[in-house]
Each structure stands twice: as structure tokens, then as C-alpha cells.
Amino acid sequence: MTNLEKYNSAFITTFEITEEQLAGLKYQDIEAWDSVGHMGLIAALEDAFDIMMDTDDIIDFNSYEKGKEILSKEEYGVKF
């Protein structure tokens, strides 16, 4: 499974959405992506990539696209 597939899977599984809904998805665009859903997503991503995200990055993680940018940081080493 590629990193993009793992990333997409975390969103799809956590929020019970389709892959077609991912592009442009932002925090609170869907009911499932509330504060509790956000922490579920972060946990799923940390498990998928075996990382521990910084608090500031968790707070800044406010869209599908921003998440890829954050995980691509050198400290996490996730390549898309």
C-alpha cells in the first residue's frame, strides 16, 4: 500500500466517506469531521505511518491537502 493509499484510507475509514469526497475536504465540512472525529483521524494517521504528531501540527491539520503538507515535513518523513 502506498503512502497516499494509507492516507486516503485513514480519511475514508474514520469519516465513512468515499475517495471522491477527499479532494478539497476541510475540517467541519462534514458532520463526522468535528473535534472528536479530528482526534480519531490523527490517531489513525499516527498508527498508519508509525509517527507521533506535534500538537501544533494537529491543530494546523485543517484540510485534506494541508494534512499531506504537514505529513511531508522532514520530521515525519512521509512521501506522497
Side-chain angles (χ1 to χ4, degrees), residues 10-55:
F11 274 86
I12 291 165
T13 303
T14 302
F15 299 139
E16 297 179 349
I17 58 174
T18 64
E19 194 164 348
E20 291 74 31
Q21 293 175 277
L22 295 175
L25 185 65
K26 293 182 174 54
Y27 179 66
Q28 295 187 335
D29 271 359
I30 56 173
E31 191 175 320
W33 198 353
D34 58 8
S35 59
V36 174
H38 187 69
M39 295 314 297
L41 174 63
I42 297 301
L45 291 168
E46 287 179 337
D47 286 347
F49 295 109
D50 195 26
I51 58 172
M52 199 62 161
M53 291 181 68
D54 181 68
T55 303

